[in-house]
Amino acid sequence: MNWTLITTAVLVAAIAIPLFLGACSARRVQADQQERFAQSAQYQQDHQRFANPVPTPEQGLGDLLGIMWEMSTAKDPQSAPDIVVPTQPLTAAQLASLPTDEHRVYRLGHSTMLLSLNGEVWLLDPVFSERASPVQWAGPERFHPLPLNPQDLPPLKGIVISHDHYDHLDEGSIRQLADKAEGFYVPLGLGRYLQQWGVAADRIVEHDWWQETRVGDTLLAATPTQHFSGRGLFSRDSTLWASWVIERDGRRYFFSGDSGYFAGFKQIGERYGPFDLTMMENGAYNERWGHIHMMPEESVQAHLDLGGQRMLPIHNSTFDLSIHAWFEPLQRVSDIASQRGVELVTPIIGEPVVMGREQAFSLWWQSLMPQQIASAETATLVLADEVRSTQ
């Protein structure tokens, strides 16, 4: 008897039941927003849902069962680390004294980012819960402790959300931060969740693609991505998904959210680039869902399409959301970036990236890889460097 498969089936059922119970009410709330949604070029009025610019394949029960089978039987034995992933703690004192004369970017885990822009603090996709799941007794569990205590965060200028999936929009975190941020900037439809979780309606600004908001000296722009949304069995694509452009003090940042590779990256680059730093999805990929998540080669190409100068890989090293080894995304993207001449930024979680300063970042994950794999990867990287130096 395959106990792994049985356990997975039970887990899926346990998560699906509460989603089912909340799905119909979600649809009723959406009905109140139909007029605004209808003005969006991304909204399909006939189907009452948002859609990608490039149609993505419909997935039925057979596809879901296939994914469940692969997740149960084909997982890499290293899909989760044997030891805790290292972090660099951010103390309350450090958070209270963030420099007011420079830009700093901190990766707090998965796709959660803290941007300190001349002392103005922003959070992107804050997920501080132990599990990326609708319930905290089951689902993908964090590989590492949080590098900070959310209660120690200073007042926030804003919180930016890319889409409504549980590893990007976390109810517990939003409830904790509801009164700490001046504003919440989200794609169309997400405001209803935030209001249910205690955020005042006048602090929420919903965005369609290409819609801009200026907050003091900071420009925010919601931009396209090739993904989907849904927090319930019947709420698929009922809210919009987005990537984000952030500009301040002459510096430009791109935050990918989740996306498959598509021509939109070049469009965004032409309109808002070049970017000083791109924060690019690189992890939880699989050929089965390659139309909505990028493989590492595509993440690097998207960075180049955007006109990015430095690339910070996100969406990895925190939760087990696919079948690959936990360290594979960083190792693969490191190899590819080296081959293509892309400057990769790989801070330890909690380590600052200081804009305008020369910094050397370690390939920190390699010391946690099985020795024989790490040795082979290092030899391959050295050989590639030698080949390029002779060309």
Side-chain angles (χ1 to χ4, degrees):
M1 184 175 293
N2 190 328
W3 288 108
T4 302
L5 183 58
I6 291 173
T7 302
T8 300
V10 170
L11 177 58
V12 170
I15 292 175
I17 288 171
L19 295 183
F20 176 82
L21 294 176
C24 293
S25 62
R27 277 297 187 192
R28 286 197 298 272
V29 173
Q30 180 184 313
D32 298 334
Q33 301 177 315
Q34 289 300 307
E35 184 175 346
R36 185 171 182 208
F37 286 4
Q39 297 173 5
S40 170
Q42 284 61 248
Y43 193 66
Q44 297 179 333
Q45 188 70 40
D46 292 346
H47 300 288
Q48 295 191 12
R49 68 178 188 180
F50 291 93
N52 285 306
V54 179
T56 53
E58 294 286 344
Q59 291 189 312
L61 180 60
D63 299 294
L64 177 60
L65 292 174
I67 290 172
M68 287 175 58
W69 178 261
E70 187 170 10
M71 293 285 281
S72 302
T73 61
K75 266 190 174 295
D76 190 288
Q78 296 289 324
S79 61
D82 296 329
I83 60 176
V84 175
V85 168
T87 62
Q88 181 169 310
L90 267 165
T91 67
Q94 289 173 318
L95 290 167
S97 58
L98 290 168
T100 58
D101 59 351
E102 64 184 16
H103 285 206
R104 291 189 173 197
V105 176
Y106 297 84
R107 184 175 174 224
L108 305 182
H110 197 57
S111 297
T112 301
M113 308 297 299
L114 184 152
L115 275 58
S116 175
L117 310 179
N118 284 351
E120 184 178 279
V121 182
W122 294 79
L123 280 182
L124 314 182
D125 282 3
V127 175
F128 297 138
S129 293
E130 187 63 21
R131 296 179 185 270
S133 170
V135 294
Q136 285 302 298
W137 49 266
E141 191 171 8
R142 188 176 292 275
F143 295 163
H144 57 79
L146 290 171
L148 54 73
N149 183 339
Q151 295 179 350
D152 293 336
L153 285 165
L156 305 172
K157 192 66 177 178
I159 291 176
V160 176
I161 305 293
S162 64
H163 62 296
D164 70 4
H165 289 157
Y166 288 91
D167 57 326
H168 296 263
L169 177 62
D170 175 46
E171 178 179 351
S173 300
I174 297 299
R175 288 187 180 278
Q176 195 170 10
L177 300 168
D179 296 324
K180 191 174 278 287
E182 291 182 24
F184 290 75
Y185 304 90
V186 302
L188 288 174
L190 268 68
R192 61 183 170 86
Y193 293 119
L194 305 188
Q195 290 185 60
Q196 290 169 10
W197 302 338
V199 179
D202 61 2
R203 294 191 184 190
I204 302 168
V205 183
E206 294 192 357
H207 291 70
D208 199 355
W209 289 349
W210 305 117
Q211 183 178 346
E212 299 178 351
T213 295
R214 187 166 288 281
V215 184
D217 293 330
T218 302
L219 176 70
L220 301 176
T223 44
T225 119
Q226 185 83 3
H227 200 53
F228 72 108
S229 68
R231 291 173 73 85
L233 294 180
F234 302 107
S235 63
R236 170 83 183 219
D237 298 339
S238 62
T239 63
L240 188 58
W241 46 96
S243 55
W244 288 88
V245 170
I246 302 169
E247 295 183 9
R248 182 182 166 89
D249 306 320
R251 296 195 183 277
R252 300 178 182 183
Y253 303 91
F254 178 77
F255 178 66
S256 71
D258 284 358
S259 184
Y261 179 75
F262 74 129
F265 291 116
K266 195 165 185 62
Q267 254 186 308
I268 297 165
E270 290 170 350
R271 190 157 175 173
Y272 289 105
F275 292 95
D276 297 272
L277 182 72
T278 68
M279 295 162 273
M280 299 300 299
E281 175 212 290
N282 171 60
Y285 48 76
N286 186 288
E287 293 291 352
R288 282 184 179 271
W289 50 85
H291 51 287
I292 53 171
H293 281 290
M294 290 183 283
M295 305 299 284
E297 297 84 353
E298 294 172 319
S299 297
V300 172
Q301 184 59 55
H303 165 83
L304 293 170
D305 290 352
L306 289 159
Q309 295 178 21
R310 295 199 289 173
M311 173 181 169
L312 196 164
I314 61 175
H315 206 257
N316 57 62
S317 309
T318 299
F319 299 114
D320 179 7
L321 301 175
S322 187
I323 67 170
H324 55 63
W326 73 270
F327 52 78
E328 182 189 294
L330 286 172
Q331 188 58 50
R332 281 183 61 177
V333 80
S334 176
D335 292 344
I336 296 158
S338 178
Q339 293 162 14
R340 302 203 63 182
V342 168
E343 184 179 353
L344 203 66
V345 178
T346 56
I348 293 171
I349 290 168
E351 180 181 8
V353 177
V354 183
M355 303 303 294
R357 181 189 298 179
E358 289 291 330
Q359 291 175 277
F361 296 97
S362 66
L363 305 181
W364 58 266
W365 61 92
Q366 288 193 344
S367 64
L368 307 181
M369 293 165 57
Q371 190 58 47
Q372 68 276 18
I373 298 176
S375 299
E377 293 287 358
T378 301
T380 300
L381 192 56
V382 169
L383 179 60
D385 287 338
E386 290 176 349
V387 169
R388 277 196 308 278
S389 67
T390 61
Q391 292 176 343

